Amino acid sequence: MLEELPVVFKYHVFTCFQQRPPGHPRGSCTTSGAKPLWDRLQAKLGAQPLPDVSMTATGCLGFCRAGPLMVVYPQGVWYAPRTPEDIDEIVQSHFIDGNPVERLIIVPQL
Amino acid sequence: MLEELPVVFKYHVFTCFQQRPPGHPRGSCTTSGAKPLWDRLQAKLGAQPLPDVSMTATGCLGFCRAGPLMVVYPQGVWYAPRTPEDIDEIVQSHFIDGNPVERLIIVPQL
């Protein structure tokens, strides 16, 4: 049955906006500088609409020390971008050209 | 390369907590009664830990009129549960027994 379900988004991107106070032992993506990166991602996707790419803001995705974190489904690709240029590269290489950016991929450990 | 990436979560569940004011033309999952459902889901997952199931709160997933909405990745199954019993059925049938609950699945139209 599942095989019959259409793919709604080719790339559904979930970006962590979790915020904890500075000094919190778990840290958080926002205190690690996530927001300017996700703002950049949103602006890039808005400037060059890609109808099969959707971006959704989330609370904690876990793996807080590795943040800022985003995950792309259904492929299950976890990215830890650090700079605006990293975001630009993910958009161009992965979402437009279809080539994941290996150097920014992380594999979270449960 | 992507084929080599390990699956971090067998079921990564994203639940929409978007809230808009009553009467807003788009509606929202929270005004459609989402929060008690997601509280139930969180409680169920907490009471019977399933290490390969993760639940993440989100902002707007889109398709607001169809809410409350949740989506399960990497399978890309969109659910529109209405009652606590719907949540219980999804947990038992889909996440524990591996059988998606067809009657609660929706296919969002872009």
Side-chain angles (χ1 to χ4, degrees):
Chain A
M1 186 276 300
L2 282 184
E3 289 70 20
E4 302 166 13
L5 288 179
V7 173
V8 176
F9 298 116
K10 184 174 180 182
Y11 302 116
H12 197 164
V13 188
F14 295 91
T15 52
C16 178
F17 279 85
Q18 179 70 38
Q19 183 161 19
R20 298 191 180 94
H24 189 287
R26 290 188 65 188
S28 67
C29 284
T30 296
T31 45
S32 299
K35 189 167 182 308
L37 300 179
W38 310 153
D39 287 347
R40 175 84 166 203
L41 178 57
Q42 190 166 39
K44 295 286 285 188
L45 296 177
Q48 183 172 20
L50 302 167
D52 51 5
V53 181
S54 180
M55 173 179 162
T56 297
T58 76
C60 186
L61 286 168
F63 320 110
C64 308
R65 288 284 175 198
L69 273 186
M70 55 184 268
V71 56
V72 183
Y73 279 113
Q75 296 80 11
V77 177
W78 293 73
Y79 278 121
R82 290 288 175 271
T83 68
E85 291 73 24
D86 290 346
I87 295 294
D88 296 352
E89 187 175 349
I90 290 169
V91 170
Q92 182 63 48
S93 178
H94 194 160
F95 302 152
I96 296 175
D97 298 336
N99 301 313
V101 184
E102 294 196 39
R103 70 179 183 85
L104 299 175
I105 291 175
I106 67 160
V107 177
Q109 303 295 319
L110 288 180
Chain B
M1 185 278 301
L2 282 183
E3 290 69 20
E4 302 165 12
L5 288 179
V7 173
V8 176
F9 298 117
K10 184 173 180 182
Y11 302 117
H12 197 164
V13 187
F14 295 90
T15 53
C16 177
F17 280 84
Q18 179 71 38
Q19 183 162 19
R20 298 190 180 94
H24 189 286
R26 291 189 64 188
S28 67
C29 284
T30 295
T31 46
S32 299
K35 189 168 183 306
L37 300 178
W38 310 153
D39 287 347
R40 174 84 165 202
L41 177 57
Q42 190 166 39
K44 295 286 285 188
L45 296 177
Q48 183 173 21
L50 302 167
D52 51 5
V53 181
S54 181
M55 171 180 164
T56 298
T58 76
C60 186
L61 286 167
F63 320 110
C64 307
R65 287 283 174 198
L69 273 188
M70 54 186 267
V71 57
V72 184
Y73 279 113
Q75 295 81 10
V77 178
W78 292 73
Y79 279 121
R82 289 291 175 268
T83 68
E85 291 73 24
D86 290 347
I87 295 294
D88 296 352
E89 187 175 348
I90 291 168
V91 171
Q92 181 64 48
S93 178
H94 194 160
F95 303 151
I96 296 175
D97 298 336
N99 301 313
V101 183
E102 295 196 40
R103 71 178 181 85
L104 299 175
I105 292 175
I106 68 161
V107 177
Q109 303 295 319
L110 286 181

